[in-house]
Amino acid sequence: MAYALQQLINGVALGMIYGLIAVGYTMVYGIIGMINFAHGDIFMVGAFVSLISFVLLSAGGWAAGPGAVLLVLLVSMAITALYGWSVERIAYRPLRGSFRLAPLISAIGMSIVLQNFVQVSQGARAKPIEPIIQGSVELWHGNGFSVSLSTMQIVIVVVTLAVLAIFTWLVTSTKLGRAMRACEQDRKMAGLLGIDTDRTISITFVIGAALAAVAGTLYLLRYGLADFFMGFIVGVKAFTAAVLGGVGSLPGALLGGLLIGLIETLWSAYAGQDMFLLRELNPAYKDVAAFAILIATLIFLPSGLLGRAEVEKV
Amino acid sequence: MSGARLPEGPHLGGVPHNDDGVPAPGEMGGIPRGPEAPAPRPPLVHALRDAGLAALVALGLFVPLVGLRTDVGPSGGGLILRTRWADVAILVGIVFAGRLAMNLWSSLRPAGRPRTARRTAQLARIGTFVAPLFLAFAVLMPLLPWTTRYGLDLGVLVLTYVMLGWGLNIVVGLAGLLDLGYVAFYAVGAYTYALLSTTYGLSFWVCLPLAGIFAAFAGMLLGFPVLRLRGDYLAIVTLAFGEIIRVVLLNWVSLTGGPNGISGIPRPSFFGLSFSAGGGPGSFADFFGLEPSPTHRAVFLYYLILVLALLTNWVTLRLRRQPLGRAWEALREDEIACRALGINVTNTKLTAFAIGAMFGGFAGAFFATRQAFVSPESFTFIESAIILAIVVLGGLGSQLGVAIAALVLIGGFEAFRDFEEYRMLVFGAAMVVIMVWRPRGLVSSRKPSVALGERKAISGDLVGGGHG
Amino acid sequence: MSAPILQVRELVMRFGGLTAVNRVSFDAMAGDITAVIGPNGAGKTTVFNLITGFYKPSAGEIILHGPAGQKPLHATVGHRIARSGVARTFQNIRLFPGMTVLENLLVAQHNTLQAATFFGIGAAFGLGRYRQAEREAVALARRWLEATRLLDRADDPAGALPYGAQRRLEIARAMCTNPVLLCLDEPAAGLNPRESEELAELIRLIRDGGCSILLIEHDMGVVMRISDRVVVLDHGQKIADGTPAEVRADQRVISAYLGEGDEDDAPSVPAEGAA
């Protein structure tokens, strides 16, 4: 029981990170109807910028305190947002209103570019980083097991919720948010009503990238590693989260992220254990589990958990 | 790399219409965007300002990731930093110069001329001459005196991708079903041959059709659940399917050998004559009284894949003129109208998946016999992306375009073999550039399958991209 | 004139909480032109989508009296409805724009052609029987191209045709499936008066060829001129059913169109060219 609770906590922390990335997918899909294939790699860039910033700070002799983490977070958000903006500007905007498959191929190309750009500039080896946020709170203790909540997990949950709160306020209560929602409903009409749709779309990418940077920073802090290929699999899982929650729905993205994080963690923890049917499962298939959920969701629940159902127009 | 490259065509006037610059990571010196409405020609000042802004953005992009290189320290402890400001300066300079050149060039150049129907027809006519030339070259290539062993191997590689491209073209180009997991069928074919030949000792010629059949079944297996999906959803599910197959291959160690793969796969024989290096009785060289040479096998493999590729092409061209092929294209154009006309959409989609997968399976069996070794590493998502890129860059549905795209991409990829680490970077950049330059691919026009009078090429702008 | 070709019985269609079609019953007689009219949002297109199998009805029956006997359309899957002899066009034209006019018409004959190819296998080897079948298919296409005055555009892409020609092509394509019942969803929408007149002529020609017609139309001029029978829907319910003259005199029809005492229904006065 204690073990299960511990896994639950781990799963929620991981799920928060997926949720942050999923929001970026959902926003972009909502507004221009394309899967931003490079979004997982934007997350990777965010992790790298944080990594470099941390190393730079420690080389400069700054103590690794909350101030340093906050500073790194902001730097990473800014630089990664610039990457998000550039990707949209170079690879997607010229293809607006063009042939349907073109942006998708362009996005795949962009994903390859980002991965290999980081590989070339930062090397192919995985980069480890010393733990920065340490310590934990023991919640429960007894018969050989204990349930603890690490400071890192607290930070993940607090930062994610804070960032998403700001973001929700932005989307629901500001002029910018209104423009974004208008573009999502009907881009042509929004344009006719005087909304600068290009600018709104750019801002959407910027915000999505900034959220991915937060996710990248948290991921780096939690797992202590960054490599140029990390964006692909995390990206697919985050996309799964977005689909599971219902594309276009922001609470759905977070909910989907939490579910995927939980499923993945529980699969790793329990598959192969000597209990009931679990011994038949292979922990190595945790990614397959995520993909299988993606496929199952799209087939049985195409509008996701919190998405709007669409009626086929004839 | 492409700093001064300027696009043609109506989509991309290439005239910058406001003053925010286009930043460019790395080699992508600046890809122009297509403003909806032509803007006033920027004077020099404007061009400079724009290029300056682009350089500023580039500075922001490159300072952390290029300027500050992290490396694992010698002690294995923390990371150490190395600064590379010179590299940043060079890159930013390239972006500035590229953007400036682009701005100036677009202000000098007349506005892009629209692609007229006549030009489409002209291109199509050129195509009818180019295709036989390509074919003649492909057939004669191994016999040419200056063809090296390397050239032959490259030819085999290009032809493998041509075949994969043609196979995927059935699914994506004709039926309009976006498939990002095509490599799964390639893998099924390869492992089918690898397992059947190493376990049961079946010959290549027995396994080849079996590989196709197994892959076709895998295609239907994928096809069933995704029948109702549309658009990018279909893409992502097929991607997931491809990854599932790969992860299973990786982890089902007892059957597939896991990450170690399967080695010692038998090489194909020529009607029972083997290509053993030492010659000997029963070998190809012995039978024909030739000096044993490893080139024989290379030439044989070359012709084998050429024949397989041409088979794919022949079947596709044939089917295009049949009800089934027309139904695929109709499905791409409008699924609802298809249903209203009594076309069984389910079966039509499934046959497209199955037939496309079958050719992927053939190619996979060929791959296994050529390499004599298969492992999950050869079937990653990036392979699917490359094959799809070949199809889309070549022009959906165009057999010639796909062949040219395979030649350009795979050949170009090989040309960068000396710059190993930049290869994929340039490859990805090329994908973006070509898409921005010609969103519909190199050959975008479509040829009607039947006509009362003259067959006129149909401009790509009218042809649908499919819903899925 | 006497036997019904299509019987709609107590048809109900609900979308979530909304009842778009509420217990609608009517007959369409063989050899007749039956028009379904009603204000915007009356449920006409929904009825069409139910008949042609794009929606499954929540309740009720749709029976087709085709050449092969009775066929319960409400229990038949989409593409089989077309095979049993019901063809349709769409309010917003749905052609295959990247295929030529002739190809559009051959796709419509998919099932006949496919059968002649032994389901694709024979065709790959170019069997003679397929060639024969294709020749016949082209001949049928040519006949409908002549009827719709599109013969000279046969090798042009459908997407490049002017609007009126696209409308005609869609009808020609539906006719190439050899239907016993042709369902036309606002065929006159967007046509000028002369084109509407030609369209009415074409519809009559099709009717005289033995194909019954079910028609949704806003252009009252066309409806009143060519229909043998008119069914009026409002708010998902049938409010009148009879000859054009009878319907025109019906008090409920008039008030439905004038939107009497009704807030949410935009008044749409029956007028020439209202589309």
Side-chain angles (χ1 to χ4, degrees):
Chain A
M1 191 56 217
Y3 183 65
L5 197 62
Q6 184 66 61
Q7 295 308 326
L8 224 57
I9 292 173
N10 295 348
V12 167
L14 179 63
M16 289 278 180
I17 294 177
Y18 288 152
L20 276 174
I21 309 171
V23 169
Y25 277 112
T26 267
M27 278 191 341
V28 168
Y29 196 94
I31 205 160
I32 52 174
M34 71 168 280
I35 297 173
N36 179 11
F37 223 92
H39 192 59
D41 302 293
I42 291 285
F43 154 79
M44 178 272 296
V45 166
F48 261 93
V49 174
S50 299
L51 178 110
I52 293 165
S53 310
F54 276 126
V55 176
L56 194 65
L57 280 184
S58 70
W62 277 43
V69 172
L70 192 65
L71 183 67
V72 166
L73 199 62
L74 291 176
V75 168
S76 176
M77 284 171 82
I79 300 283
T80 311
L82 198 58
Y83 270 90
W85 182 85
S86 309
V87 164
E88 193 271 337
R89 201 76 166 86
I90 295 170
Y92 306 155
R93 190 179 294 183
L95 293 169
R96 200 107 77 229
S98 161
F99 181 52
R100 201 181 57 85
L101 288 182
L104 187 77
I105 298 294
S106 183
I108 293 173
M110 237 340 161
S111 161
I112 296 176
V113 166
L114 286 175
Q115 272 176 31
N116 289 278
F117 168 64
V118 172
Q119 188 192 1
V120 168
S121 64
Q122 293 292 322
R125 282 182 66 180
K127 301 277 152 85
I129 186 171
E130 279 155 16
I132 289 166
I133 300 176
Q134 283 163 313
S136 63
V137 186
E138 196 161 281
L139 295 179
W140 186 78
H141 183 83
N143 56 343
F145 280 114
S146 67
V147 180
S148 64
L149 187 60
S150 69
T151 318
M152 186 62 234
Q153 285 167 333
I154 299 173
V155 169
I156 289 178
V157 172
V158 169
V159 170
T160 304
L161 292 181
V163 166
L164 286 182
I166 296 171
F167 171 74
T168 309
W169 169 79
L170 205 69
V171 172
T172 51
S173 317
T174 61
K175 205 176 153 197
L176 169 70
R178 205 157 56 232
M180 281 166 68
R181 279 177 292 142
C183 288
E184 202 175 319
Q185 293 282 320
D186 188 337
R187 200 162 76 224
K188 206 180 256 172
M189 195 62 209
L192 288 174
L193 293 174
I195 292 171
D196 185 343
T197 54
D198 275 350
R199 195 169 144 262
T200 310
I201 292 168
S202 276
I203 292 172
T204 306
F205 274 83
V206 163
I207 294 173
L211 293 179
V214 174
T217 309
L218 294 174
Y219 193 92
L220 177 75
L221 287 170
R222 170 82 172 82
Y223 295 95
L225 266 184
D227 70 80
F228 73 97
F229 197 65
M230 68 197 267
F232 176 69
I233 204 83
V234 173
V236 172
K237 283 179 189 160
F239 179 77
T240 305
V243 171
L244 186 60
V247 164
S249 158
L250 297 174
L254 186 62
L255 178 66
L258 288 175
L259 285 174
I260 295 290
L262 281 171
I263 290 162
E264 188 187 326
T265 312
L266 294 179
W267 186 288
S268 303
Y270 284 103
Q273 283 208 351
D274 207 12
M275 285 191 285
F276 314 115
L277 290 168
L278 289 175
R279 68 178 71 93
E280 303 298 324
L281 300 176
N282 183 343
Y285 287 136
K286 70 178 163 102
D287 293 346
V288 172
F291 292 135
I293 292 163
L294 172 66
I295 296 178
T297 312
L298 284 174
I299 293 160
F300 299 111
L301 199 69
S303 48
L305 294 170
L306 303 180
R308 292 178 294 260
E310 276 175 38
V311 178
E312 186 181 42
K313 283 266 183 218
V314 177
Chain B
M1 171 201 100
S2 59
R5 191 69 172 275
L6 210 91
E8 306 181 344
H11 297 294
L12 300 149
V15 187
H17 64 326
N18 53 21
D19 47 16
D20 39 5
V22 170
E27 275 62 20
M28 321 216 7
I31 292 156
R33 58 240 142 78
E36 320 285 286
R41 305 259 144 79
L44 185 64
V45 182
H46 182 99
L48 273 171
R49 209 170 86 100
D50 182 64
L53 277 165
L56 208 61
V57 171
L59 191 71
L61 295 178
F62 295 139
V63 159
L65 284 176
V66 177
L68 299 165
R69 162 83 188 230
T70 53
D71 276 302
V72 179
S75 57
L79 295 170
I80 50 167
L81 268 184
R82 205 148 43 86
T83 55
R84 294 182 299 195
W85 302 125
D87 294 9
V88 176
I90 292 169
L91 284 173
V92 170
I94 290 173
V95 170
F96 179 80
R99 182 74 189 164
L100 185 66
M102 215 175 74
N103 286 343
L104 293 179
W105 174 242
S106 63
S107 64
L108 291 175
R109 207 181 72 115
R113 63 214 135 127
R115 202 176 301 279
T116 57
R118 226 179 91 215
R119 232 181 116 200
T120 308
Q122 265 173 1
L123 280 172
R125 215 166 305 132
I126 292 169
T128 54
F129 291 110
V130 172
L133 275 177
F134 265 111
L135 182 62
F137 177 74
V139 170
L140 295 176
M141 214 269 274
L143 309 174
L144 298 174
W146 58 83
T147 297
T148 58
R149 177 64 202 270
Y150 169 70
L152 213 51
D153 285 346
L154 183 59
V156 169
L157 190 68
V158 168
L159 282 174
T160 309
Y161 278 98
V162 170
M163 174 164 180
L164 287 168
W166 279 342
L168 183 60
N169 202 10
I170 294 175
V171 184
V172 182
L174 293 184
L177 302 161
L178 186 48
D179 186 349
L180 271 181
Y182 192 63
V183 78
F185 311 125
Y186 190 44
V188 167
Y191 272 85
T192 301
Y193 173 58
L195 288 171
L196 288 179
S197 64
T198 54
T199 320
Y200 300 106
L202 296 179
S203 86
F204 176 75
W205 298 104
V206 175
C207 291
L208 184 69
L210 288 177
I213 290 168
F214 274 106
F217 270 114
M220 304 237 287
L221 200 71
L222 167 68
F224 265 114
V226 303
L227 282 170
R228 282 162 50 203
L229 299 181
R230 285 147 191 280
D232 292 7
Y233 280 179
L234 181 63
I236 209 85
V237 167
T238 50
L239 182 156
F241 179 79
E243 282 296 299
I244 287 176
I245 296 257
R246 192 180 64 83
V247 175
V248 169
L249 290 178
L250 202 57
N251 290 298
W252 194 351
V253 179
S254 59
L255 182 74
T256 65
N260 298 326
I262 300 170
S263 52
I265 299 167
R267 315 302 296 258
S269 58
F270 181 76
F271 296 105
L273 303 171
S274 73
F275 290 95
S276 54
S283 75
F284 179 82
D286 179 59
F287 187 83
F288 288 98
L290 297 168
E291 195 65 26
S293 154
T295 315
H296 291 162
R297 178 189 282 152
V299 171
F300 173 67
L301 285 172
Y302 178 89
Y303 279 115
L304 180 59
I305 187 66
L306 182 63
V307 167
L308 285 173
L310 290 177
L311 176 77
T312 312
N313 183 38
W314 181 77
V315 170
T316 309
L317 290 181
R318 200 81 226 189
L319 281 175
R320 258 204 75 204
R321 293 180 188 192
Q322 307 299 342
L324 183 61
R326 266 187 223 125
W328 286 340
E329 293 203 75
L331 197 65
R332 177 192 66 203
E333 300 282 318
D334 195 325
E335 180 175 339
I336 287 174
C338 280
R339 256 195 286 168
L341 294 173
I343 293 173
N344 186 332
V345 172
T346 308
N347 288 353
T348 309
K349 281 187 183 176
L350 284 181
T351 48
F353 272 120
I355 293 178
M358 181 181 76
F359 290 115
F362 288 158
F366 173 81
F367 174 80
T369 192
R370 181 180 109 110
Q371 303 281 321
F373 169 72
V374 290
S375 80
E377 240 175 77
S378 311
F379 308 105
T380 53
F381 165 70
I382 201 74
E383 289 293 316
S384 289
I386 289 173
I387 303 166
L388 182 68
I390 286 172
V391 174
V392 177
L393 299 179
L396 287 177
S398 161
Q399 299 292 93
L400 179 64
V402 168
I404 294 173
L407 188 66
V408 169
L409 280 189
I410 304 303
F413 195 61
E414 276 301 302
F416 273 87
R417 60 187 284 115
D418 294 336
F419 308 95
E420 182 68 39
E421 56 175 343
Y422 293 98
R423 270 210 309 189
M424 282 313 284
L425 184 59
V426 173
F427 185 82
M431 268 167 85
V432 177
V433 172
I434 301 181
M435 269 303 100
V436 170
W437 171 50
R438 292 201 71 156
R440 281 194 169 261
L442 299 170
V443 182
S444 59
S445 63
R446 174 185 175 274
K447 212 161 187 201
S449 62
V450 61
L452 287 183
E454 183 203 0
R455 273 173 217 235
K456 293 177 270 190
I458 298 170
S459 153
D461 299 333
L462 291 170
V463 180
H467 55 78
Chain C
M1 267 304 189
S2 49
I5 182 106
L6 184 80
Q7 290 181 299
V8 175
R9 289 282 162 269
E10 296 286 310
L11 197 61
V12 178
M13 183 67 196
R14 292 186 207 95
F15 295 106
L18 178 86
T19 307
V21 175
N22 193 4
R23 303 184 61 186
V24 168
S25 303
F26 65 89
D27 288 355
M29 295 298 167
D32 267 9
I33 297 174
T34 310
V36 179
I37 66 168
N40 287 328
K44 306 178 298 278
T45 297
T46 307
V47 167
F48 251 46
N49 286 338
L50 288 165
I51 292 171
T52 51
F54 282 89
Y55 299 153
K56 286 277 146 263
S58 310
E61 290 186 334
I62 307 163
I63 311 287
L64 178 76
H65 298 267
Q70 283 194 15
K71 181 105 186 168
L73 295 188
H74 54 273
T76 309
V77 274
H79 66 269
R80 293 206 179 274
I81 289 179
R83 290 183 196 183
S84 41
V86 179
R88 74 169 290 177
T89 64
F90 294 88
Q91 197 172 335
N92 39 355
I93 307 176
R94 283 184 176 275
L95 292 169
F96 307 122
M99 304 175 84
T100 65
V101 169
L102 181 63
E103 282 178 308
N104 267 271
L105 299 189
L106 289 191
V107 170
Q109 300 177 62
H110 176 81
N111 291 315
T112 347
L113 285 170
Q114 186 76 336
T117 63
F118 301 102
F119 299 93
I121 302 156
F125 302 99
L127 284 184
R129 192 170 148 211
Y130 173 68
R131 292 222 187 100
Q132 174 63 25
E134 194 178 64
R135 259 199 301 280
E136 284 165 15
V138 171
L140 179 64
R142 191 187 268 275
R143 232 179 61 216
W144 281 109
L145 286 177
E146 269 162 14
T148 50
R149 293 178 300 102
L150 288 169
L151 195 56
D152 53 328
R153 303 298 303 260
D155 296 333
D156 289 336
L161 297 183
Y163 186 82
Q166 291 197 7
R167 283 253 174 239
R168 295 202 303 277
L169 174 58
E170 210 190 9
I171 296 174
R173 189 181 65 182
M175 289 314 294
C176 277
T177 64
N178 280 324
V180 291
L181 178 69
L182 175 66
C183 302
L184 299 170
D185 195 347
E186 298 200 19
L191 300 186
N192 64 35
R194 195 177 56 84
E195 285 173 324
S196 301
E197 184 49 49
E198 286 169 1
L199 176 84
E201 204 50 55
L202 177 64
I203 294 174
R204 267 195 223 109
L205 180 95
I206 290 169
R207 193 256 324 259
D208 296 344
C211 179
S212 317
I213 285 165
L214 195 64
L215 173 78
I216 293 180
E217 191 44 71
H218 266 299
D219 185 334
M220 286 304 145
V222 172
V223 169
M224 295 302 164
R225 206 148 2 110
I226 66 173
S227 306
D228 299 300
R229 190 184 167 92
V230 179
V231 176
V232 190
L233 298 184
D234 188 29
H235 288 99
Q237 282 172 313
K238 187 174 87 170
I239 56 169
D241 185 354
T243 64
E246 285 165 7
V247 163
R248 208 176 343 207
D250 192 307
Q251 197 51 48
R252 292 178 67 189
V253 175
I254 294 166
S255 60
Y257 268 94
L258 294 177
E260 205 175 66
D262 214 322
E263 289 302 314
D264 55 54
D265 201 62
S268 97
V269 182
E272 273 316 299

